[in-house]
Amino acid sequence: MRLGLALIAICFLLGCATSQADEAPLSPILLEDRQWAIESYNDGTSLVHWHDLFSRAGWIRFTGGTVDGASACGGFVGTYRLVENEITIEAGVILAGSCLRQDGRQPVNTWPLNEAVLNALNGTRTITREHNGLVLRDGAGQPQIFLTSPEATSP
């Protein structure tokens, strides 16, 4: 499992080549009405693996123009607009809390972590399908967030 995550992380950082099928526009059905796990996010300097820091998974859901989720032990909500494989997201923290780190220690201040996830999420992003998930990239093509394990949410 660690090897698989390491390969995904390397691909995420280096921007693995994608096939024509991966570049096809995403339908709202693929992205929307599903809960996605936040596997990794760009904190502005490096790729951060969610499970290396926290015992609870971060998640995100896109439903009819509204985005919500949990990042770094805080909740967020906002709006999004999807046009083919480009998404523009505007979200903000609505609740900050605390949770245990993977090593059992509680973070002193979760605000910077919430902000880092939102910085990686917010803005106009290109979505590509890679491996078993989605990658949201900024205008320069740099990966910002890697999402996996979509599960259909209840209507």
Side-chain angles (χ1 to χ4, degrees):
M1 172 119 174
R2 284 253 184 227
L3 177 60
L5 288 175
L7 292 174
I8 290 170
I10 290 168
C11 185
F12 186 73
L13 283 173
L14 298 177
C16 293
T18 58
S19 69
Q20 289 283 4
D22 288 340
E23 296 296 329
L26 297 171
S27 72
I29 295 170
L30 174 65
L31 179 71
E32 295 183 308
D33 300 323
R34 298 174 184 264
Q35 184 167 306
W36 297 87
I38 300 172
E39 285 294 320
S40 305
Y41 66 94
N42 187 327
D43 70 356
T45 57
S46 64
L47 181 67
V48 176
H49 299 284
W50 196 267
H51 295 290
D52 289 346
L53 294 176
F54 299 104
S55 56
R56 270 193 330 217
W59 60 273
I60 186 169
R61 180 177 46 221
F62 301 92
T63 306
T66 299
V67 60
D68 67 326
S71 64
C73 307
F76 61 88
V77 68
T79 60
Y80 71 92
R81 186 165 82 73
L82 181 65
V83 178
E84 294 188 357
N85 67 334
E86 208 170 80
I87 189 167
T88 301
I89 302 169
E90 294 180 24
V93 174
I94 59 168
L95 175 67
S98 63
C99 65
L100 294 179
R101 295 168 57 103
Q102 186 65 23
D103 61 10
R105 295 182 297 132
Q106 185 173 341
V108 176
N109 182 357
T110 60
W111 278 106
L113 301 170
N114 286 313
E115 298 247 347
V117 171
L118 286 173
N119 286 339
L121 183 64
N122 281 329
T124 299
R125 305 287 183 240
T126 300
I127 306 170
T128 56
R129 287 178 267 193
E130 294 184 18
H131 306 288
N132 293 323
L134 301 177
V135 178
L136 279 66
R137 296 178 183 275
D138 65 14
Q142 294 300 310
Q144 296 299 308
I145 290 195
F146 183 64
L147 306 173
T148 60
S149 304
E151 297 176 2
T153 57
S154 57

